[in-house]
Amino acid sequence: MAITFANPGGLPEIDVYRQVSIASGSKLVFVAGQVAWDAEGVTIGEGDLAAQVEQCYLNVAAALAEAGGSFDDVAKLTFYVVAWTPDKMPALLEGISRAAAKLGVTPAPPATLIGVAALDVPDHLVEIEATAVLD
């Protein structure tokens, strides 16, 4: 596997991700921010953060598959969440959990969550981008 995750001493351990991703592969894959669109461009889960996170993960997985990879190859995720407040964390985690179950993965790469005022389409509540490393 090209990715190893670690929680170094001196940094807090976070339940849902690791602080460091060590990549040893030779092919970098940068996945553009994915929103909750289906293949026809219809927004899935209007007003439902968990449903939109789930769809974003499925879209990231589809993009990774096109490059010959999967979530096992993800070195870093970035989440952009509209009007982020900490009380939205359960919905975000629920969406991740549902997508992980569908994909059969345990996502734990380092992640950054950025609260934003808006995304490209008013119905979109979240956008997720990924960086992956493949052997």
Side-chain angles (χ1 to χ4, degrees):
M1 180 175 286
I3 308 292
T4 302
F5 299 131
N7 276 320
L11 295 178
E13 286 196 28
I14 308 298
D15 291 339
V16 295
Y17 67 87
R18 304 300 170 262
Q19 295 282 11
V20 175
S21 174
I22 304 158
S24 60
S26 59
K27 181 179 180 181
L28 293 177
V29 179
F30 300 93
V31 177
Q34 296 299 304
V35 293
W37 277 332
D38 66 9
E40 287 76 41
V42 175
T43 298
I44 302 298
E46 189 173 329
D48 182 343
L49 180 60
Q52 289 199 16
V53 168
E54 179 181 1
Q55 185 64 42
C56 290
Y57 259 73
L58 298 176
N59 291 349
V60 168
L64 291 167
E66 178 67 23
S70 72
F71 258 95
D72 291 334
D73 302 304
V74 173
K76 172 87 169 49
L77 292 170
T78 304
F79 295 77
Y80 301 91
V81 182
V82 174
W84 173 258
T85 55
D87 64 313
K88 293 181 180 181
M89 185 60 82
L92 184 112
L93 295 175
E94 178 186 337
I96 292 170
S97 178
R98 291 189 330 215
K102 283 184 177 178
L103 296 168
V105 299
T106 304
T112 299
L113 190 154
I114 301 168
V116 297
L119 292 171
D120 64 328
V121 174
D123 291 339
H124 293 163
L125 305 175
V126 61
E127 185 168 333
I128 301 173
E129 65 182 20
T131 301
V133 180
L134 284 63
D135 285 326

